[in-house]
Amino acid sequence: EPEVTQTPSHQVTQMGQEVILRCVPISNHLYFYWYRQILGQKVEFLVSFYNNEISEKSEIFDDQFSVERPDGSNFTLKIRSTKLEDSAMYFCASSETGAGGYTFGSGTRLTVV
Amino acid sequence: AQSVAQPEDQVNVAEGNPLTVKCTYSVSGNPYLFWYVQYPNRGLQFLLKYITGDNLVKGSYGFEAEFNKSQTSFHLKKPSALVSDSALYFCAVRDISYFNKFYFGSGTKLNVKP
């Protein structure tokens, strides 16, 4: 069964550093997403991406965040200057249109020290 | 706006007993409802979904969920709990009308004791 692949599985970074989280969505999916889960809390929507642009973003997704689809297969989330409170599990997802398939990746655990 | 509520932060059950994890939803339009399970330091694992059809949905690992339109509920159930079922369970609704994003509940920690 096709999977959404996220790398790395765990990243530790120093406060103020830039990080890039990487995702390879399912190849025939058209919509791409990032979600965030602070330890032990609910999973929250960050951003959706369609047709090479952001289609929706939450209030969490401020100017320090950006997303990109640099080539035909990767989808990245960049955090420009990390803060301690950015420590969380970040999930990538991709979906077909309508009620079609929707798949979450296994997540990247980001630890900011 | 779409939302789901999980009224219990934690559910404790003895191994072998039936378990129920509650979820209620609020959606405009037809609900697309899901249950995910998360083990410690792991990702989200799909359990089951309701889109249309039978109100009783069967999923992975012996779990099932009952869609109740009048009560706007989608409770997760299992006839006989296992210690290995101990995990964090999330109910979610998918909003296909607007770029397909998921709204997750706050999660319920299931503790199954031997």
Side-chain angles (χ1 to χ4, degrees), chain A residues 31 33 35 37 41-43 45 55-56 89 91 96 98-100 102 104 106 109, chain B residues 32 36 38 41-44 51 88 90 94 96 98-102 104-106:
Chain A
Y31 297 86
Y33 312 83
Y35 291 79
Q37 183 191 27
Q41 297 186 23
K42 70 192 292 184
V43 179
F45 169 79
S55 46
E56 189 186 2
M89 181 80 96
F91 292 105
E96 300 172 333
Y102 199 120
F104 285 88
S106 55
R109 179 166 295 285
Chain B
Y32 289 78
Y36 285 85
Q38 185 180 36
N41 298 311
R42 303 295 294 275
L44 297 168
I51 293 179
L88 190 55
F90 290 99
R94 176 177 168 184
I96 68 162
Y98 191 59
F99 296 117
N100 248 319
K101 76 181 186 189
F102 267 72
F104 284 86
S106 54

Short mmCIF file of all heavy atoms in Angstrom, two decimals, chain A residues 31 33 35 37 41-43 45 55-56 89 91 96 98-100 102 104 106 109, chain B residues 32 36 38 41-44 51 88 90 94 96 98-102 104-106:
data_model
loop_
_atom_site.label_atom_id
_atom_site.label_comp_id
_atom_site.label_asym_id
_atom_site.label_seq_id
_atom_site.Cartn_x
_atom_site.Cartn_y
_atom_site.Cartn_z
N TYR A 31 -3.35 17.01 -3.01
CA TYR A 31 -3.39 17.92 -1.87
C TYR A 31 -2.35 17.47 -0.85
O TYR A 31 -2.19 16.28 -0.60
CB TYR A 31 -4.78 17.90 -1.19
CG TYR A 31 -5.91 18.37 -2.07
CD1 TYR A 31 -6.55 17.49 -2.93
CD2 TYR A 31 -6.33 19.69 -2.03
CE1 TYR A 31 -7.58 17.91 -3.74
CE2 TYR A 31 -7.38 20.12 -2.83
CZ TYR A 31 -8.00 19.22 -3.69
OH TYR A 31 -9.03 19.64 -4.48
N TYR A 33 -0.47 18.40 3.12
CA TYR A 33 -0.79 19.03 4.39
C TYR A 33 0.35 18.84 5.39
O TYR A 33 1.09 17.86 5.31
CB TYR A 33 -2.04 18.38 5.02
CG TYR A 33 -3.21 18.21 4.09
CD1 TYR A 33 -3.27 17.10 3.24
CD2 TYR A 33 -4.24 19.12 4.06
CE1 TYR A 33 -4.33 16.94 2.37
CE2 TYR A 33 -5.31 18.96 3.20
CZ TYR A 33 -5.35 17.86 2.36
OH TYR A 33 -6.40 17.69 1.51
N TYR A 35 0.48 18.90 9.71
CA TYR A 35 -0.21 18.98 10.99
C TYR A 35 0.86 18.95 12.09
O TYR A 35 1.96 18.45 11.89
CB TYR A 35 -1.15 17.80 11.20
CG TYR A 35 -2.36 17.76 10.29
CD1 TYR A 35 -2.26 17.32 8.98
CD2 TYR A 35 -3.60 18.15 10.75
CE1 TYR A 35 -3.37 17.27 8.15
CE2 TYR A 35 -4.72 18.11 9.94
CZ TYR A 35 -4.60 17.67 8.64
OH TYR A 35 -5.71 17.63 7.82
N GLN A 37 1.52 18.18 16.41
CA GLN A 37 1.01 17.65 17.67
C GLN A 37 2.03 17.91 18.76
O GLN A 37 3.09 17.27 18.80
CB GLN A 37 0.72 16.16 17.57
CG GLN A 37 0.12 15.58 18.84
CD GLN A 37 0.09 14.06 18.83
OE1 GLN A 37 0.90 13.41 18.18
NE2 GLN A 37 -0.86 13.49 19.57
N GLN A 41 -0.90 16.23 23.23
CA GLN A 41 -2.06 17.07 22.93
C GLN A 41 -2.68 16.67 21.59
O GLN A 41 -2.27 15.69 20.96
CB GLN A 41 -1.64 18.54 22.92
CG GLN A 41 -1.14 19.01 24.27
CD GLN A 41 -0.86 20.50 24.29
OE1 GLN A 41 -1.39 21.27 23.49
NE2 GLN A 41 -0.03 20.91 25.23
N LYS A 42 -3.69 17.42 21.19
CA LYS A 42 -4.40 17.06 19.96
C LYS A 42 -3.55 17.40 18.74
O LYS A 42 -2.62 18.19 18.79
CB LYS A 42 -5.73 17.78 19.91
CG LYS A 42 -5.66 19.27 19.68
CD LYS A 42 -6.98 19.95 19.91
CE LYS A 42 -8.02 19.61 18.91
NZ LYS A 42 -9.28 20.38 19.12
N VAL A 43 -3.92 16.77 17.64
CA VAL A 43 -3.27 17.04 16.36
C VAL A 43 -3.94 18.27 15.75
O VAL A 43 -5.17 18.32 15.63
CB VAL A 43 -3.41 15.82 15.43
CG1 VAL A 43 -2.76 16.10 14.09
CG2 VAL A 43 -2.81 14.58 16.07
N PHE A 45 -4.14 21.22 12.63
CA PHE A 45 -3.86 21.56 11.24
C PHE A 45 -2.94 22.78 11.17
O PHE A 45 -3.13 23.77 11.88
CB PHE A 45 -5.19 21.86 10.54
CG PHE A 45 -5.06 22.48 9.18
CD1 PHE A 45 -4.76 21.72 8.08
CD2 PHE A 45 -5.26 23.86 9.02
CE1 PHE A 45 -4.66 22.30 6.82
CE2 PHE A 45 -5.16 24.44 7.78
CZ PHE A 45 -4.87 23.66 6.67
N SER A 55 -3.31 26.71 0.14
CA SER A 55 -4.74 26.87 -0.01
C SER A 55 -5.41 27.31 1.29
O SER A 55 -6.41 28.00 1.28
CB SER A 55 -5.39 25.58 -0.51
OG SER A 55 -4.91 24.47 0.21
N GLU A 56 -4.83 26.92 2.40
CA GLU A 56 -5.35 27.34 3.69
C GLU A 56 -4.25 27.21 4.74
O GLU A 56 -3.40 26.32 4.64
CB GLU A 56 -6.55 26.49 4.12
CG GLU A 56 -7.26 27.02 5.35
CD GLU A 56 -8.36 26.09 5.87
OE1 GLU A 56 -8.54 25.00 5.30
OE2 GLU A 56 -9.02 26.46 6.85
N MET A 89 5.52 16.85 17.38
CA MET A 89 5.52 15.89 16.29
C MET A 89 4.86 16.57 15.10
O MET A 89 3.78 17.17 15.25
CB MET A 89 4.74 14.64 16.69
CG MET A 89 4.71 13.56 15.63
SD MET A 89 6.22 12.60 15.60
CE MET A 89 5.72 11.20 16.61
N PHE A 91 3.29 16.01 11.37
CA PHE A 91 2.77 15.00 10.45
C PHE A 91 2.53 15.62 9.08
O PHE A 91 1.88 16.67 8.97
CB PHE A 91 1.45 14.42 10.96
CG PHE A 91 1.58 13.60 12.20
CD1 PHE A 91 1.18 14.10 13.42
CD2 PHE A 91 2.10 12.31 12.15
CE1 PHE A 91 1.28 13.34 14.58
CE2 PHE A 91 2.21 11.55 13.31
CZ PHE A 91 1.81 12.08 14.52
N GLU A 96 -6.23 12.56 -2.18
CA GLU A 96 -6.86 12.71 -3.47
C GLU A 96 -7.93 13.80 -3.34
O GLU A 96 -8.12 14.35 -2.27
CB GLU A 96 -7.49 11.38 -3.89
CG GLU A 96 -6.49 10.26 -4.01
CD GLU A 96 -7.14 8.90 -4.22
OE1 GLU A 96 -8.29 8.71 -3.80
OE2 GLU A 96 -6.49 8.03 -4.81
N GLY A 98 -11.87 15.19 -3.23
CA GLY A 98 -13.14 14.74 -2.67
C GLY A 98 -12.95 13.80 -1.50
O GLY A 98 -12.17 14.07 -0.60
N ALA A 99 -13.66 12.70 -1.51
CA ALA A 99 -13.60 11.74 -0.41
C ALA A 99 -12.62 10.61 -0.68
O ALA A 99 -12.69 9.56 -0.05
CB ALA A 99 -14.99 11.17 -0.15
N GLY A 100 -11.70 10.83 -1.59
CA GLY A 100 -10.70 9.81 -1.92
C GLY A 100 -9.69 9.61 -0.81
O GLY A 100 -9.78 10.19 0.27
N TYR A 102 -6.71 9.44 1.84
CA TYR A 102 -6.03 10.47 2.64
C TYR A 102 -5.09 9.72 3.55
O TYR A 102 -5.51 8.86 4.32
CB TYR A 102 -7.08 11.22 3.46
CG TYR A 102 -6.68 12.58 4.01
CD1 TYR A 102 -7.40 13.70 3.63
CD2 TYR A 102 -5.65 12.73 4.92
CE1 TYR A 102 -7.10 14.96 4.14
CE2 TYR A 102 -5.34 13.98 5.43
CZ TYR A 102 -6.07 15.09 5.05
OH TYR A 102 -5.77 16.33 5.55
N PHE A 104 -1.69 9.78 6.24
CA PHE A 104 -0.74 10.49 7.10
C PHE A 104 0.61 9.78 7.08
O PHE A 104 0.67 8.55 7.05
CB PHE A 104 -1.24 10.54 8.54
CG PHE A 104 -2.35 11.52 8.77
CD1 PHE A 104 -3.67 11.14 8.60
CD2 PHE A 104 -2.08 12.82 9.15
CE1 PHE A 104 -4.71 12.05 8.81
CE2 PHE A 104 -3.10 13.73 9.36
CZ PHE A 104 -4.41 13.35 9.18
N SER A 106 4.31 9.00 9.12
CA SER A 106 4.57 8.51 10.48
C SER A 106 5.11 9.60 11.40
O SER A 106 5.27 9.38 12.59
CB SER A 106 5.54 7.33 10.44
OG SER A 106 6.71 7.70 9.75
N ARG A 109 9.56 13.86 14.80
CA ARG A 109 9.58 14.47 16.13
C ARG A 109 10.68 15.52 16.16
O ARG A 109 11.85 15.20 15.99
CB ARG A 109 9.84 13.43 17.21
CG ARG A 109 9.89 14.04 18.61
CD ARG A 109 9.81 13.00 19.71
NE ARG A 109 8.53 12.30 19.72
CZ ARG A 109 7.39 12.82 20.16
NH1 ARG A 109 7.35 14.05 20.64
NH2 ARG A 109 6.28 12.11 20.14
N TYR B 32 -17.74 12.75 7.58
CA TYR B 32 -16.73 11.74 7.25
C TYR B 32 -15.90 11.56 8.51
O TYR B 32 -15.06 12.39 8.83
CB TYR B 32 -15.87 12.22 6.08
CG TYR B 32 -16.61 12.24 4.77
CD1 TYR B 32 -17.50 13.27 4.48
CD2 TYR B 32 -16.44 11.24 3.83
CE1 TYR B 32 -18.20 13.29 3.29
CE2 TYR B 32 -17.13 11.25 2.63
CZ TYR B 32 -18.01 12.28 2.37
OH TYR B 32 -18.71 12.29 1.18
N TYR B 36 -8.31 7.18 14.85
CA TYR B 36 -6.89 6.87 14.75
C TYR B 36 -6.38 6.48 16.13
O TYR B 36 -6.88 6.95 17.15
CB TYR B 36 -6.09 8.09 14.26
CG TYR B 36 -6.24 8.38 12.79
CD1 TYR B 36 -7.31 9.15 12.32
CD2 TYR B 36 -5.32 7.90 11.86
CE1 TYR B 36 -7.45 9.42 10.97
CE2 TYR B 36 -5.46 8.17 10.51
CZ TYR B 36 -6.53 8.92 10.08
OH TYR B 36 -6.67 9.18 8.74
N GLN B 38 -2.71 6.13 18.47
CA GLN B 38 -1.31 6.54 18.54
C GLN B 38 -0.66 5.87 19.74
O GLN B 38 -1.06 6.09 20.88
CB GLN B 38 -1.20 8.06 18.65
CG GLN B 38 0.23 8.56 18.59
CD GLN B 38 0.31 10.06 18.69
OE1 GLN B 38 -0.46 10.70 19.41
NE2 GLN B 38 1.23 10.66 17.96
N ASN B 41 5.24 7.75 21.27
CA ASN B 41 6.32 8.16 20.35
C ASN B 41 6.17 7.58 18.96
O ASN B 41 7.16 7.38 18.25
CB ASN B 41 7.69 7.75 20.93
CG ASN B 41 7.96 8.45 22.24
OD1 ASN B 41 7.80 9.65 22.35
ND2 ASN B 41 8.35 7.69 23.24
N ARG B 42 4.94 7.33 18.56
CA ARG B 42 4.69 6.79 17.23
C ARG B 42 3.73 7.71 16.49
O ARG B 42 3.19 8.67 17.02
CB ARG B 42 4.10 5.38 17.33
CG ARG B 42 4.93 4.39 18.10
CD ARG B 42 6.26 4.10 17.42
NE ARG B 42 6.08 3.43 16.14
CZ ARG B 42 5.94 2.13 16.00
NH1 ARG B 42 5.96 1.33 17.06
NH2 ARG B 42 5.80 1.59 14.82
N GLY B 43 3.53 7.41 15.21
CA GLY B 43 2.63 8.19 14.38
C GLY B 43 1.18 7.80 14.54
O GLY B 43 0.83 7.02 15.43
N LEU B 44 0.34 8.36 13.68
CA LEU B 44 -1.09 8.08 13.70
C LEU B 44 -1.37 6.82 12.88
O LEU B 44 -0.95 6.73 11.74
CB LEU B 44 -1.86 9.25 13.10
CG LEU B 44 -1.75 10.58 13.84
CD1 LEU B 44 -2.31 11.69 13.00
CD2 LEU B 44 -2.46 10.50 15.18
N ILE B 51 -18.06 6.72 6.12
CA ILE B 51 -18.39 7.70 5.08
C ILE B 51 -19.86 7.59 4.71
O ILE B 51 -20.59 8.57 4.66
CB ILE B 51 -17.47 7.52 3.85
CG1 ILE B 51 -16.03 7.88 4.24
CG2 ILE B 51 -17.94 8.40 2.70
CD1 ILE B 51 -15.02 7.73 3.13
N LEU B 88 -3.30 6.12 22.89
CA LEU B 88 -4.07 7.36 22.76
C LEU B 88 -4.94 7.25 21.52
O LEU B 88 -4.44 6.91 20.45
CB LEU B 88 -3.09 8.53 22.65
CG LEU B 88 -3.58 9.96 22.74
CD1 LEU B 88 -4.36 10.20 24.02
CD2 LEU B 88 -2.40 10.91 22.65
N PHE B 90 -7.73 8.98 18.89
CA PHE B 90 -8.24 10.24 18.37
C PHE B 90 -9.41 10.00 17.43
O PHE B 90 -9.32 9.20 16.51
CB PHE B 90 -7.16 10.99 17.58
CG PHE B 90 -6.06 11.54 18.42
CD1 PHE B 90 -4.85 10.86 18.52
CD2 PHE B 90 -6.21 12.74 19.10
CE1 PHE B 90 -3.81 11.38 19.29
CE2 PHE B 90 -5.18 13.25 19.88
CZ PHE B 90 -3.99 12.57 19.97
N ARG B 94 -13.32 14.68 8.73
CA ARG B 94 -12.67 15.19 7.53
C ARG B 94 -13.64 16.10 6.80
O ARG B 94 -14.76 15.70 6.50
CB ARG B 94 -12.26 14.02 6.65
CG ARG B 94 -11.64 14.39 5.32
CD ARG B 94 -11.23 13.12 4.60
NE ARG B 94 -10.88 13.36 3.22
CZ ARG B 94 -10.55 12.40 2.35
NH1 ARG B 94 -10.54 11.13 2.74
NH2 ARG B 94 -10.25 12.68 1.11
N ILE B 96 -14.49 17.53 3.58
CA ILE B 96 -14.15 17.43 2.17
C ILE B 96 -14.65 18.62 1.38
O ILE B 96 -14.37 18.74 0.19
CB ILE B 96 -14.66 16.13 1.54
CG1 ILE B 96 -16.20 16.12 1.47
CG2 ILE B 96 -14.17 14.91 2.29
CD1 ILE B 96 -16.72 15.11 0.49
N TYR B 98 -13.88 21.69 1.92
CA TYR B 98 -12.94 22.81 1.90
C TYR B 98 -11.54 22.30 2.05
O TYR B 98 -11.02 22.17 3.17
CB TYR B 98 -13.30 23.80 3.01
CG TYR B 98 -12.56 25.11 2.91
CD1 TYR B 98 -12.67 25.91 1.78
CD2 TYR B 98 -11.74 25.56 3.94
CE1 TYR B 98 -11.99 27.10 1.68
CE2 TYR B 98 -11.07 26.75 3.86
CZ TYR B 98 -11.19 27.52 2.72
OH TYR B 98 -10.53 28.70 2.62
N PHE B 99 -10.94 21.94 0.94
CA PHE B 99 -9.55 21.50 0.92
C PHE B 99 -9.24 20.36 1.87
O PHE B 99 -8.08 20.17 2.22
CB PHE B 99 -8.60 22.67 1.15
CG PHE B 99 -8.67 23.69 0.06
CD1 PHE B 99 -9.08 24.97 0.33
CD2 PHE B 99 -8.37 23.36 -1.25
CE1 PHE B 99 -9.16 25.92 -0.69
CE2 PHE B 99 -8.45 24.29 -2.27
CZ PHE B 99 -8.85 25.58 -1.98
N ASN B 100 -10.28 19.64 2.27
CA ASN B 100 -10.03 18.30 2.79
C ASN B 100 -9.25 18.23 4.09
O ASN B 100 -8.53 17.27 4.31
CB ASN B 100 -9.26 17.49 1.75
CG ASN B 100 -10.10 16.37 1.20
OD1 ASN B 100 -10.82 15.73 1.93
ND2 ASN B 100 -10.00 16.15 -0.09
N LYS B 101 -9.32 19.19 4.96
CA LYS B 101 -8.51 19.08 6.17
C LYS B 101 -9.25 18.28 7.24
O LYS B 101 -10.46 18.15 7.23
CB LYS B 101 -8.09 20.44 6.69
CG LYS B 101 -9.15 21.23 7.40
CD LYS B 101 -8.56 22.57 7.82
CE LYS B 101 -9.53 23.35 8.66
NZ LYS B 101 -9.05 24.74 8.89
N PHE B 102 -8.46 17.75 8.17
CA PHE B 102 -8.96 16.97 9.29
C PHE B 102 -9.08 17.86 10.52
O PHE B 102 -8.23 18.72 10.77
CB PHE B 102 -8.00 15.83 9.62
CG PHE B 102 -8.32 14.54 8.94
CD1 PHE B 102 -8.11 14.39 7.58
CD2 PHE B 102 -8.81 13.47 9.65
CE1 PHE B 102 -8.39 13.20 6.95
CE2 PHE B 102 -9.10 12.27 9.04
CZ PHE B 102 -8.89 12.13 7.68
N PHE B 104 -9.27 17.10 14.51
CA PHE B 104 -9.08 16.03 15.48
C PHE B 104 -9.69 16.40 16.83
O PHE B 104 -9.69 17.57 17.23
CB PHE B 104 -7.59 15.75 15.68
CG PHE B 104 -6.96 14.99 14.56
CD1 PHE B 104 -6.47 15.66 13.45
CD2 PHE B 104 -6.85 13.62 14.62
CE1 PHE B 104 -5.88 14.95 12.40
CE2 PHE B 104 -6.27 12.90 13.58
CZ PHE B 104 -5.79 13.57 12.47
N GLY B 105 -10.16 15.38 17.52
CA GLY B 105 -10.54 15.57 18.91
C GLY B 105 -9.30 15.66 19.78
O GLY B 105 -8.17 15.51 19.31
N SER B 106 -9.52 15.90 21.05
CA SER B 106 -8.41 16.12 21.98
C SER B 106 -7.73 14.83 22.40
O SER B 106 -6.68 14.86 23.04
CB SER B 106 -8.91 16.86 23.22
OG SER B 106 -10.01 16.17 23.78
#
